[in-house]
């Protein structure tokens, strides 16, 4: 359909797709900054230097962490029900508001309940970011760059986490909400200039608007480019007709029924997606982000835990950038499987160092836990955490993709709540060694299954099964 090159991502055709992706990831960045802010902030709020007028206990801290999971569950139910009914764009607007409420409540905090509700709202926003945005991006982008642009989410996520770590460590508690709340406002203004996806418009029978949207995202404007008038319209018409035919033939404009979910292929995809969710959460890839400073404090390392967490933020950015660069070159499977192996090695090594060394050795080799955790964070960022959403979006049949993704994210959100609630218990009661060994064992078991059964989804059409 169009010329390919080694630098295809710089093709004029993709400019608006990239611009739209960058606009959506403003919220990804802002959300991640809120998650990164939590880890050092919890340590500060539990210390004598707390800026709040009330104490935060370990149990309070556990609930502050886990109420995010409850919000994530509620958000997946809400956005799963509204994504097709209200369309992608309206949901993209909606998800910004709970995030803004999160920062407003952090600023106005009068009791720990403010923090609970704020984290719940952060979970609501997170569900929208990880359910609505991947579907939107997958529908507006060409398959040649889809993997890179969906994986780009983790690069913004990692950068936001790092900014959150730094802001919480070095700036006043009440100043941070005033800075971050500007981002969702910019995000909302930017989205005013972006149309609904052509697939969503076609599903609702709005063919003329769908064609205009298609031309917008493919950067086709023949009326302003006389030289291309003879070639681009015919290409655009051909591609749009192909998209419309794929949606019609695939039954995407026909209501979804229970029969679409209960067949061997679909059930197998659901089971494989469930294993991916278990790996994504029970491996600790997300919980470690929330409790990074606590992990280093529990390791016995003499290096400042907050400084270690900031170092991990830089490592996470490198891992996410690697995913963006490598996902279209090597495919999804190799990155995911090598990531599971890297996390397993890093966590077994971290746990063994803590278990089998004395205090003198820990002090002399205080850099060893950082090296092992760098391996865990880097490999998680380019695979288990980094391309998880890319794979889950691509693996399901086109007709039920939105509903299937919603179900998977609902299951994943339940795991988020369980993990964030149990991780502090494992960390503080059972110890860092048991925590690391348990997470590493999940990588082993899930990795074996995925090595045998996970299909490669690189280059898969978003309209055809």
């Amino acid at each position: 359909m169009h010329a390919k090159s080694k630098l295809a991502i710089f093709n004029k055709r993709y400019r608006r797709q990239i611009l739209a992706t960058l606009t959506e990831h403003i919220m990804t960045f802002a959300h991640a900054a809120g998650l990164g802010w939590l880890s050092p902030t919890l340590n500060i709020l539990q210390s004598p230097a707390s800026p709040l007028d009330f104490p935060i206990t370990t149990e309070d801290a556990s609930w502050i962490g886990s109420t995010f999971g409850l919000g994530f569950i509620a958000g997946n139910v809400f956005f799963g029900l509204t994504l097709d009914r209200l369309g992608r764009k309206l949901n993209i607007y909606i998800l910004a508001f709970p995030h803004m409420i999160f920062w407003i409540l952090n600023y106005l905090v009068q009791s720990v309940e403010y923090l609970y509700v704020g984290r719940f709202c952060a979970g609501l926003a997170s569900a929208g970011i990880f359910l609505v945005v991947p579907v939107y991006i997958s529908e507006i982008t060409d398959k040649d760059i889809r993997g890179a642009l969906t994986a780009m989410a983790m690069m913004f996520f990692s950068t936001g986490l790092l900014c959150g770590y730094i802001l919480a460590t070095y700036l006043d508690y009440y100043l941070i909400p005033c800075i971050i709340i500007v981002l969702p406002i910019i995000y909302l203004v930017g989205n005013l200039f972006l149309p609904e996806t052509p697939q969503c418009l076609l599903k609702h029978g709005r063919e003329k608007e769908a064609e205009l949207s298609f031309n917008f995202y493919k950067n086709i404007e023949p009326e302003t480019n006389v030289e291309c008038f003879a070639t681009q319209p015919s290409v655009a018409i051909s591609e749009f007709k192909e998209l419309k035919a794929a949606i019609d033939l695939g039954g995407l404009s026909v209501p979804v029924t229970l029969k679409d979910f209960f067949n061997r292929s679909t059930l197998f995809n659901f089971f494989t997606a469930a294993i991916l969710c278990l790996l994504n959460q029970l491996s600790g890839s997300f919980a470690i982000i929330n409790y990074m400073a606590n992990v280093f404090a529990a390791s016995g390392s003499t290096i400042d835990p907050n400084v270690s967490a900031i170092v991990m933020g830089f490592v996470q950015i490198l891992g996410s950038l690697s995913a963006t660069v490598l996902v279209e070159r090597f495919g999804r499977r190799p990155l995911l499987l090598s990531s599971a192996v890297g996390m397993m090695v890093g966590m077994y090594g971290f746990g063994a160092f803590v278990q089998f060394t004395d205090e003198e050795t820990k002090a002399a080799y205080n850099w060893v836990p950082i090296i092992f955790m760098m391996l865990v964070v880097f490999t998680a960022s380019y695979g288990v955490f980094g391309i998880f959403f890319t794979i889950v979006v691509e693996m399901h049949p086109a007709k039920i993709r939105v509903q299937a993704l919603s179900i998977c994210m609902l299951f994943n959100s339940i795991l988020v709540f369980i993990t964030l609630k149990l991780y502090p218990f494992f960390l503080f009661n059972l110890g860092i060694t048991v925590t690391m060994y348990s997470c590493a064992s999940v990588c082993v078991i899930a990795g074996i299954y995925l090595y045998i059964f996970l299909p490669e989804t690189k280059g898969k059409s978003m309209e055809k099964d």
Side-chain angles (χ1 to χ4, degrees):
M1 289 293 187
H2 57 278
K4 296 181 181 179
S5 69
K6 292 183 178 179
L7 297 176
I9 199 167
F10 297 110
N11 193 308
K12 179 183 176 182
R13 175 188 175 93
Y14 305 140
R15 288 177 188 171
R16 287 178 178 169
Q17 299 172 27
I18 295 170
L19 182 62
T21 300
L22 294 175
T23 301
E24 304 317 316
H25 288 326
I26 293 173
M27 272 304 302
T28 306
F29 177 92
H31 170 62
L35 295 179
W37 166 88
L38 179 68
S39 178
T41 298
L42 277 180
N43 276 345
I44 294 170
L45 297 183
Q46 291 179 278
S47 73
S50 172
L52 305 183
D53 297 328
F54 53 90
I56 299 293
T57 66
T58 301
E59 180 67 13
D60 292 336
S62 172
W63 278 108
I64 290 170
S66 58
T67 46
F68 174 91
L70 292 176
F72 198 47
I73 293 171
N76 273 287
V77 173
F78 173 81
F79 288 109
L81 293 172
T82 60
L83 188 52
D84 271 341
R85 289 177 174 84
L86 301 181
R88 289 29 164 172
K89 278 302 301 293
L90 184 53
N91 279 286
I92 278 172
Y93 292 131
I94 291 172
L95 68 86
F97 291 97
H99 178 79
M100 296 170 74
I101 294 170
F102 164 69
W103 287 112
I104 291 169
L105 289 175
N106 286 331
Y107 182 83
L108 300 176
V109 60
Q110 298 294 318
S111 68
V112 72
E113 285 75 22
Y114 280 65
L115 300 178
Y116 292 162
V117 176
R119 281 283 288 176
F120 182 87
C121 290
L124 286 174
S126 182
I129 291 166
F130 291 119
L131 178 59
V132 179
V133 173
V135 171
Y136 170 81
I137 293 174
S138 70
E139 289 184 345
I140 67 166
T141 54
D142 286 30
K143 65 181 181 180
D144 297 330
I145 62 168
R146 187 179 65 236
L149 293 188
T150 51
M152 189 184 290
M154 291 303 105
M155 186 172 67
F156 279 85
F157 188 86
S158 301
T159 308
L161 279 173
L162 176 60
C163 287
Y165 288 143
I166 294 173
L167 291 175
T169 303
Y170 296 107
L171 292 187
D172 179 74
Y173 174 89
Y174 292 101
L175 177 61
I176 298 169
C178 301
I179 296 172
I180 301 297
I181 203 168
V182 174
L183 295 177
I185 296 172
I186 297 172
Y187 160 87
L188 288 169
V189 173
N191 271 289
L192 292 173
F193 301 96
L194 301 174
E196 178 61 273
T197 70
Q199 289 90 333
C200 186
L201 291 167
L202 284 171
K203 287 180 185 178
H204 288 86
R206 297 156 64 181
E207 185 173 339
K208 183 61 179 176
E209 293 175 64
E211 187 171 4
L212 292 173
S213 172
F214 181 88
N215 290 342
F216 175 88
Y217 286 116
K218 305 302 180 186
N219 204 14
I220 297 171
E221 299 178 285
E223 70 280 1
T224 61
N225 192 340
V226 177
E227 293 181 4
C228 294
F229 187 83
T231 58
Q232 282 207 33
S234 60
V235 173
I237 292 169
S238 174
E239 290 187 349
F240 181 73
K241 285 183 176 179
E242 184 179 322
L243 172 65
K244 185 176 184 301
I247 288 177
D248 291 339
L249 292 174
L252 302 189
S253 56
V254 177
V256 175
T257 66
L258 285 176
K259 290 182 180 180
D260 296 315
F261 294 90
F262 292 98
N263 59 73
R264 186 175 180 179
S265 175
T266 302
L267 291 174
F268 173 76
N269 284 339
F270 271 120
F271 185 77
T272 302
I275 298 298
L276 274 168
C277 291
L278 290 168
L279 175 62
N280 179 261
Q281 288 303 318
L282 299 188
S283 66
S285 66
F286 183 67
I288 286 173
I289 291 170
N290 286 267
Y291 297 104
M292 184 71 73
N294 303 96
V295 168
F296 280 111
S299 72
S301 173
T302 56
I303 299 176
D304 184 342
N306 288 332
V307 173
S308 299
I310 291 172
V311 171
M312 292 306 109
F314 281 107
V315 173
Q316 195 165 39
I317 292 173
L318 291 176
S320 301
L321 182 60
S322 299
T324 304
V325 173
L326 300 177
V327 68
E328 292 298 351
R329 181 183 293 265
F330 296 107
R332 285 56 160 158
R333 262 179 62 90
L335 264 64
L336 182 76
L337 296 174
S338 62
S339 169
V341 172
M343 289 184 68
M344 175 199 69
V345 172
M347 286 189 285
Y348 274 137
F350 193 106
F353 177 81
V354 174
Q355 182 179 3
F356 296 112
T357 57
D358 55 27
E359 295 303 317
E360 184 178 343
T361 305
K362 287 183 175 67
Y365 296 93
N366 59 6
W367 48 269
V368 172
I370 292 182
I371 297 298
F372 281 125
M373 192 51 62
M374 285 173 69
L375 177 61
V376 172
V377 170
F378 179 80
T379 53
S381 298
Y382 77 67
V384 169
F385 195 71
I387 60 170
F388 166 76
F389 296 98
T390 303
I391 297 173
V392 173
V393 167
E394 293 177 341
M395 70 187 299
H396 292 292
K399 184 178 180 182
I400 64 166
R401 181 168 292 121
V402 170
Q403 293 80 7
L405 181 60
S406 178
I407 292 169
C408 291
M409 291 301 99
L410 177 60
F411 178 60
N412 201 55
S413 63
I414 294 171
L415 293 177
V416 167
F417 172 73
I418 293 171
T419 305
L420 291 179
K421 186 63 181 164
L422 289 182
Y423 202 83
F425 172 79
F426 269 71
L427 194 60
F428 301 127
N429 295 88
L430 302 182
I432 187 68
T433 299
V434 173
T435 304
M436 289 296 158
Y437 288 168
S438 300
C439 293
S441 298
V442 170
C443 293
V444 174
I445 297 168
I448 291 172
Y449 173 88
L450 295 172
Y451 176 77
I452 299 171
F453 296 109
L454 180 69
E456 177 58 73
T457 58
K458 176 185 174 183
K460 182 180 178 181
S461 170
M462 287 289 96
E463 291 76 46
K464 302 174 184 177
D465 293 341

